[in-house]
DNA sequence: TCAGTTACTTACGTCGAGGTAAGTCATGCC
DNA sequence: GGCATGACTTACCTCGACGTAAGTAACTGA
């Protein structure tokens, strides 16, 4: 007989005290994504509006494939708008929506934390590894 | 001849204006992780100190394997301490360090944002999908 | 002797994230 | 004709994340 599952069913009161912890969790997974964070922050640094190629240059190390996918998801989620100019060669501009801009503040909080604390984390890691 | 890489080398001035954008990016990838977020928040809700089995029950859907790995990483990063009590059956308690607690604030900022905005995101998604 | 307890680890397998490279489309230019 | 350009998409493949199930250690109590 297989061992019964050890994990408990979802508890609405747990973790985030939200009416829908599943939705919040999914959203967190999304906005916590590396490429999403860097794309959003880069678009902000570029003045809130930029072309595909601008972002490609601004986001260090992203591939066209991932940039395309990330932008599509962000557009679907209402974080930015996509405007196509009927020219040759094509021009496409992405602009942050108010919803996207509202994400900036909490996101920058995390980035600030990372900037301020990565030294401490590094030393903790080497202390752990030496042991 | 293969096409040269389209992406640019890292620009220290870009995205996070940090001396080491790679480190910040790695740290963000870490703290943005779904299981990390939920483990840290759950440990906080449990009063900042809890046993393995408490966390297993508190974090909805996590497997023992992932909880173990997540806790190990958090301990290595200096976010929490692990205390083993030499008893049978074994007891292990995890407690948040000041560094771990300092992460709570920015993290809760993100969670708040997610709670406040997931409705808006959902409607944006269905508008996009209908189109 | 054997089941039950906690906090794991190990083995195994799947599945999806994500990189690389090439293709595409329409057009202007030499 | 053929190449360049910009914003992609597609095909292909690898590799790591992660779930499942079982094993382990060391002791207690029936």
């Amino acid at each position: 007989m297989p061992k019964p599952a050890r994990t408990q069913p979802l508890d609405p009161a747990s973790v985030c005290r939200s009416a829908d912890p599943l939705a919040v969790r999914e959203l967190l997974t999304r906005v916590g994504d590396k490429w999403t964070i860097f794309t959003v922050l880069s678009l902000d640094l570029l003045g809130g509006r930029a072309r595909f190629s601008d972002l490609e240059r601004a986001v260090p190390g992203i591939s066209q494939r991932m940039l395309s996918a990330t932008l599509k998801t962000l557009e679907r989620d209402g974080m930015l708008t996509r405007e196509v100019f009927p020219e040759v060669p094509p021009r496409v501009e992405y602009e942050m929506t108010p919803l996207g801009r509202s994400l900036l503040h909490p996101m920058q909080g995390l980035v600030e934390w990372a900037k301020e604390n990565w030294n401490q984390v590094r030393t903790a890691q080497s202390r752990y590894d030496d042991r």
Side-chain angles (χ1 to χ4, degrees), chain A:
Chain A
M1 193 176 75
K3 188 200 275 184
R6 303 285 303 271
T7 49
Q8 298 294 107
L10 293 178
D11 173 8
S14 75
V15 185
C16 49
R17 307 154 193 269
S18 159
D20 192 345
L22 272 179
V24 173
R25 162 172 151 177
E26 207 224 303
L27 203 47
L28 277 183
T29 309
R30 181 105 30 129
V31 300
D33 172 65
K34 178 177 65 180
W35 292 133
T36 302
I37 293 179
F38 277 80
T39 303
V40 167
L41 293 178
S42 295
L43 184 52
D44 180 50
L45 276 186
L46 291 171
R49 186 176 180 92
R51 306 179 55 168
F52 187 87
S53 52
D54 295 330
L55 290 166
E56 203 178 343
R57 255 172 276 117
V59 180
I62 199 170
S63 66
Q64 290 191 328
R65 190 187 177 287
M66 276 316 292
L67 180 56
S68 174
T70 304
L71 288 171
K72 198 173 289 180
T73 303
L74 284 170
E75 187 199 356
R76 188 173 107 99
D77 288 353
M79 307 291 198
L80 47 81
T81 56
R82 195 179 104 110
E83 191 177 356
V84 184
F85 296 85
E87 305 172 358
V88 166
R91 180 160 60 103
V92 179
E93 291 188 2
Y94 296 89
E95 187 169 14
M96 304 206 40
T97 63
L99 180 60
R101 255 176 275 125
S102 76
L103 177 57
L104 276 172
H105 189 254
M107 205 172 251
Q108 278 162 348
L110 255 201
V111 173
E112 280 309 307
W113 182 91
K115 274 165 45 174
E116 285 165 19
N117 293 98
W118 70 273
N119 265 315
Q120 226 174 315
V121 171
R122 282 189 75 80
T123 57
Q125 287 175 349
S126 34
R127 191 163 30 237
Y128 182 96
D129 293 341
D130 286 352
R131 212 214 28 182

